[in-house]
Amino acid sequence: MHEAGVVGRALDTAIRAAPPGASAPRAAAVAITDPAHIAAQAAELHLQVHLAEHGLADLPIMITVRPVTCASCGAASEPEPSDPFCGACGWPLPAVDGPGVEIEFEW
């Protein structure tokens, strides 16, 4: 359920970054930067709820998941929170610095 707060904060940041005089955004690009702890599907669901609250329910959303680099073997993995381990060696994947979700609007 922590995805709701993470997505809400990322959305607030993206809205504040609007260029001066911008109208409504045309699309949203979402990057899951910590997939070991943030489920992409849950983030998308919460973003849809938050967008509807802002009157942007029909905004197209593109979600990408950034891989996490294993601290043990260096392999890149795109884990799920239910299985936060390296696909190559099985080592637990580290938390990624930053918010976990980044949102950018196309204005």
Side-chain angles (χ1 to χ4, degrees), residues 9-88:
R9 287 186 295 277
L11 180 60
D12 290 343
T13 299
I15 289 171
R16 284 192 307 271
S23 59
R26 295 188 305 257
V30 180
I32 307 299
T33 60
D34 190 4
H37 300 97
I38 306 288
Q41 298 85 357
E44 181 177 14
L45 172 68
H46 290 293
L47 180 58
Q48 289 172 346
V49 170
H50 286 297
L51 288 173
E53 291 171 350
H54 287 282
L56 302 169
D58 295 330
L59 194 67
I61 301 169
M62 184 180 81
I63 298 201
T64 58
V65 177
R66 292 190 192 150
V68 178
T69 302
C70 177
S72 176
C73 73
S77 296
E78 289 184 16
E80 291 286 329
S82 61
D83 188 24
F85 302 97
C86 176

Side-chain angles (χ1 to χ4, degrees), residues 5-15 99 101-105:
V6 172
V7 169
R9 287 186 295 277
L11 180 60
D12 290 343
T13 299
I15 289 171
V101 174
E102 297 172 357
I103 299 173
E104 291 185 13
F105 287 123

